[in-house]
Amino acid sequence: MKIFNPKEHQECDCFLTTPTTGFVLTLIGENQTYSYDNFTLNRLIYVQRGYVEISCKDGTIVLLHEKEFVFVPIGREFSFKAHQDAVLITLNTLHIDYLCMRVSIPSLKKVQGTAYNGQYERMVYPANEAIERCFDSIEDYLNSGFCCKEMHMVKQREVFFLLRVCLSPEDLLSLFRPLFDTQSNFKATVLRLSQQVHNVCQLAQMMGLERAYFQRLFKSHFNTTPYQWMLQQKEEKTRRLLRNTEQPIKVVATKLGFASVSHLNDFCHKKFGKTAHQIREGALPDIVRGTEKSR
């Protein structure tokens, strides 16, 4: 695919230099490993070519072959190992509310008779011809450097529509069942809302819970206090925005809830021993135009 007027495309407000949501192409060499540093998104992982092993932090190991896909919910930590050169296309999304105009994710809960034991082996599905064509077109877009947020949105809707028409209600329920698990739902809600707040009090309020009860519930799920967890998340997000984006440091400071660049620098110096500018200058971007490479 050839893009005419690429400069015009790249200067458009819809152009995504380093997309955090949408589709990402990941290349993993044979016997190499790859792991994410951010688990605050839902991911639909499709193997375009190759053969990979997914290892989850809970000990679950899944083998994913060419033209197969799997759903990994928000908060689930995992890594890849390629048994042969592999190309993955990952859909990163925060919200999954509707597969199409008529079928919502919560409506799948009404489907009866589908057993679920939490194992990822029950969530691996082969793609049919229509799904294959869809992901072929996504690969063409990403390889050409066409990275428009509207394209990501349209193709995401297309993927969900195809899942809706190509899988039975029972298979859809099995694929997305982790979203219905009580513990996963609490974690998923915390991860989603934590992107919108800057302190524990705000997070508890958005969860609709009294702060003392929220803190006890939080610790039972995360094995740490909300304050310590949010501080760790802030450190990771600070590193990620400074290292993997080209956003002006002033914009990064605002997104992170700092009153000024000076306050951001104080935080960075305390946590990392460097200023925000030093962190950015000393880092190589891990993501370039929607393509990730194994480390």
Side-chain angles (χ1 to χ4, degrees), residues 7-237:
K7 187 173 184 294
E8 178 182 340
H9 170 57
Q10 293 172 12
E11 292 177 350
C12 176
D13 291 340
C14 290
F15 181 75
L16 300 175
T17 305
T18 54
T20 54
T21 59
F23 295 92
V24 174
L25 203 63
T26 305
L27 316 177
I28 311 177
E30 184 175 1
N31 295 322
Q32 290 187 322
T33 59
Y34 176 83
S35 61
Y36 292 99
D37 58 3
N38 174 18
F39 298 98
T40 60
L41 294 167
N42 295 295
R43 289 186 167 93
L44 185 74
I45 301 163
Y46 178 84
V47 180
Q48 180 75 341
R49 288 182 291 280
Y51 167 39
V52 299
E53 175 183 297
I54 301 178
S55 298
C56 300
K57 194 174 182 179
D58 63 5
T60 303
I61 296 177
V62 181
L63 300 179
L64 205 58
H65 297 82
E66 186 170 304
K67 309 305 180 184
E68 291 183 337
F69 58 90
V70 65
F71 173 71
V72 181
I74 192 170
R76 188 67 63 94
E77 298 185 28
F78 64 99
S79 61
F80 297 105
K81 180 179 180 181
H83 291 281
Q84 57 184 239
D85 290 351
V87 177
L88 310 180
I89 300 176
T90 305
L91 169 57
N92 303 298
T93 182
L94 187 58
H95 303 288
I96 302 180
D97 296 324
Y98 286 86
L99 294 173
C100 68
M101 292 299 290
R102 294 179 61 87
V103 177
S104 66
I105 290 293
S107 71
L108 293 176
K109 296 170 68 176
K110 299 177 182 179
V111 178
Q112 301 297 320
T114 302
Y116 172 68
N117 62 7
Q119 298 300 308
Y120 273 103
E121 287 85 352
R122 297 184 64 85
M123 299 183 194
V124 175
Y125 290 93
N128 65 6
E129 185 178 350
I131 294 175
E132 288 181 18
R133 287 198 302 267
C134 178
F135 278 98
D136 285 344
S137 68
I138 293 168
E139 182 183 22
D140 287 342
Y141 284 133
L142 296 177
N143 278 332
S144 69
F146 182 69
C147 199
C148 172
K149 67 180 181 182
E150 297 296 333
M151 178 275 290
H152 286 272
M153 187 180 302
V154 168
K155 299 306 286 187
Q156 176 174 315
R157 287 201 297 265
E158 182 180 353
V159 168
F160 285 166
F161 172 77
L162 290 173
L163 292 177
R164 163 73 177 90
V165 299
C166 296
L167 296 181
S168 69
E170 292 78 16
D171 283 341
L172 282 174
L173 177 62
S174 179
L175 182 67
F176 292 110
R177 189 63 178 265
L179 297 176
F180 308 140
D181 177 74
T182 303
Q183 180 167 322
S184 295
N185 274 345
F186 178 81
K187 289 185 175 180
T189 304
V190 167
L191 290 167
R192 175 171 56 85
L193 295 179
S194 66
Q195 308 300 307
Q196 307 171 32
V197 300
H198 300 302
N199 58 58
V200 175
C201 185
Q202 291 175 347
L203 182 55
Q205 287 176 349
M206 292 195 72
M207 296 280 291
L209 299 172
E210 190 271 332
R211 182 169 178 174
Y213 174 72
F214 169 73
Q215 289 178 321
R216 291 195 300 272
L217 189 61
F218 188 99
K219 192 166 185 178
S220 71
H221 283 84
F222 288 87
N223 296 316
T224 187
T225 66
Y227 174 79
Q228 289 298 326
W229 183 84
M230 290 195 72
L231 182 61
Q232 182 182 10
Q233 296 300 306
K234 192 168 189 175
E235 292 175 15
E236 293 176 357
K237 188 173 183 180

